[in-house]
Amino acid sequence: MNFEFDAQTEEMRETITDFARERLAGPEDFDPGEFRRRWRLVGEQGALGTVVPGEYGGLGQGAVTAAAVMEALGYGCTDTGFVFSLGAHVFACLTPIVEFGTAEQKRQWLPPLCSGEYVAAHAITEPEAGSDALSMRTRAERRGDVYVLNGGKSFTTNSPVADVFVVQAATRPGGGCFGLTSFVVEAGTPGLTVGRHYQKVGLRGSPTADVRFDECRVPASQMLGPEGDGFGVFRTSMAWERTCLFALYLGVMRRVLETSVAYAGERQQFGSAIGGFQAVSHRVVDMALRLEAARLLLYRAAWGLDRGSTDEVMPALAKLAVSEAAVQAGLDAVQIQGGLGILHGQAEAALRDALPARIFSGTNEIQKNNIARALGLGEKARPQAHPSRRGKN
């Protein structure tokens, strides 16, 4: 067992941290032009193409390196919403194209998506189909050489600025796991419209909106993977997202932990630094404990992805651990800073930005359901050995 990054990954992580700290600070309110400017900078740095093969403009790295890059971005950039948008672009959109795209689709889409010229959005969630993705109502009907899409999506990250959409639609309603199909749809395609940018409690630097499809005609050549394989595309993207995207919160927690330690060492009460009070010092220790435990789970899941593991338990466990730890870290940071913690600043921002982590990429309650089912609990469950009890994945 080796818990150290290789030399290349370590160098990349340090470079990305410095780059994010110096060049990715964002404005208070979302600004499309500023968002694009920083997006292109990240593309030039190579961070958008981490998992994309070199022949298409990427770095050709694996999940562990991709997670390390996201952790560095989360640590160095205080605009967590912007980093979240980067992760959604890479792991929910580029990764499916890498895994399922045809050679022509890869040549067409991956270079501009890696360079920062294009922004991608993954359209899957619907008002009546969030955790229950198989109940989506967006339809794709084949008519000759095109598919005609009709329906609506909600909570679509990056949609207000997206150039490309990875869309999930039902080609065989009621067909279960084999009834969904994925498509790559260009922004500006007639029949595709994007609603107003959401005002969210957290991740404010990430533009999010509803998307509508009204008789939207998509060439059959833009189908991603075979017809009926959309659920497989979705599961693959979620495995990457629940692992690598959540690494950004490791960086945020590390930053918050450091500022909490510094504050506790400087803030004086009753003639001494509050870090000397057991109630405060134990809270800080618990922050460090949750961070390190979550970090080990996440990189274990990334290690499995790099070895071709199809296990869904470790990504789910990692998502649970990181998101819950991030929320608690925000609460702890606010409590340590007292009145200052509820004013505008890093502590309250960390808490607001962490709250959505328990919801997106499948709610934590759904993750627990999936893990329980994999462990052999519940109706129609088939016992499955816990990853820690298995041999090689």
Side-chain angles (χ1 to χ4, degrees):
M1 299 176 71
N2 184 357
F3 294 96
E4 295 182 352
F5 295 121
D6 60 46
Q8 181 181 8
T9 299
E10 184 60 43
E11 181 180 1
M12 188 180 304
R13 190 170 70 122
E14 293 175 1
T15 299
I16 291 294
T17 297
D18 293 339
F19 161 75
R21 185 182 291 121
E22 296 170 4
R23 308 192 66 182
L24 294 185
E28 292 292 328
D29 298 315
F30 173 74
D31 177 84
E34 179 62 19
F35 182 93
R36 283 279 187 178
R37 184 190 70 80
R38 289 182 293 155
W39 193 273
R40 285 191 291 271
L41 288 175
V42 177
E44 292 170 3
Q45 194 70 25
L48 291 177
T50 312
V51 299
V52 176
E55 62 186 296
Y56 301 113
L59 300 179
Q61 300 297 311
V64 169
T65 298
V69 168
M70 288 301 296
E71 183 179 355
L73 287 167
Y75 178 68
C77 178
T78 56
D79 186 352
T80 303
F82 178 74
V83 180
F84 171 75
S85 277
L86 295 172
H89 168 93
V90 174
F91 303 114
C93 301
L94 271 74
T95 301
I97 296 175
V98 170
E99 295 284 341
F100 296 92
T102 64
E104 179 56 35
Q105 288 171 338
K106 293 176 183 180
R107 285 193 296 268
Q108 180 180 3
W109 300 115
L110 291 178
L113 290 170
C114 288
S115 70
E117 179 184 353
Y118 285 0
V119 178
H122 184 202
I124 181 168
T125 302
E126 299 181 3
E128 303 300 326
S131 298
D132 186 9
L134 295 180
S135 294
M136 68 175 58
R137 298 179 179 178
T138 299
R139 301 289 184 255
E141 179 186 353
R142 179 112 192 204
R143 300 179 190 172
D145 293 333
V146 302
Y147 283 86
V148 180
L149 275 60
N150 285 283
K153 302 292 184 178
S154 56
F155 301 106
T156 306
T157 301
N158 293 343
S159 57
V161 295
D163 304 286
V164 179
F165 293 80
V166 174
V167 181
Q168 302 282 356
T171 45
R172 185 156 64 96
C177 294
F178 302 102
L180 304 183
T181 302
S182 302
F183 300 90
V184 180
V185 184
E186 295 183 66
T189 300
L192 186 161
T193 57
V194 178
R196 298 183 62 181
H197 170 52
Y198 291 164
Q199 297 299 318
K200 307 187 298 297
V201 66
L203 299 177
R204 294 175 180 173
S206 176
T208 310
D210 295 335
V211 179
R212 288 290 309 172
F213 300 95
D214 296 298
E215 293 293 301
C216 180
R217 299 170 66 85
V218 179
S221 61
Q222 291 179 206
M223 182 169 57
L224 187 59
E227 182 175 306
D229 200 29
F231 191 68
V233 175
F234 168 65
R235 289 176 66 178
T236 297
S237 67
M238 285 300 98
W240 281 85
E241 184 173 295
R242 289 168 184 165
T243 302
C244 299
L245 182 147
F246 277 84
L248 78 90
Y249 284 106
L250 299 179
V252 174
M253 284 190 281
R254 177 182 159 204
R255 175 161 41 85
V256 170
L257 175 62
E258 290 176 357
T259 57
S260 295
V261 169
Y263 182 85
E266 296 170 0
R267 171 65 168 165
Q268 298 282 319
Q269 287 288 279
F270 306 104
S272 63
I274 64 172
F277 302 150
Q278 192 176 77
V280 174
S281 63
H282 283 194
R283 188 180 293 273
V284 174
V285 169
D286 286 341
M287 292 172 71
L289 174 63
R290 285 189 296 269
L291 168 59
E292 291 303 324
R295 194 169 189 273
L296 287 171
L297 274 172
L298 186 139
Y299 280 101
R300 166 72 188 278
W303 177 86
L305 282 177
D306 280 342
R307 281 153 182 76
S309 172
T310 58
D311 168 50
E312 296 182 1
V313 174
M314 286 308 301
L317 287 170
K319 194 269 187 186
L320 272 174
V322 174
S323 59
E324 294 293 347
V327 171
Q328 190 59 52
L331 288 168
D332 287 337
V334 168
Q335 194 69 25
I336 290 169
Q337 293 189 20
L340 291 177
I342 60 174
L343 300 180
H344 179 71
Q346 187 171 147
E348 61 86 24
L351 177 57
R352 287 190 291 100
D353 290 335
L355 291 174
R358 297 199 289 194
I359 299 171
F360 65 76
S361 297
T363 67
N364 284 8
E365 290 76 13
I366 289 296
Q367 301 309 311
K368 290 180 180 180
N369 287 348
N370 293 341
I371 294 167
R373 190 177 302 113
L375 293 175
L377 302 173
E379 290 187 30
K380 300 180 181 178
R382 290 185 297 177
Q384 178 177 333
H386 186 278
S388 64
R389 302 292 188 267
R390 298 179 191 152
K392 185 176 179 181
N393 285 325

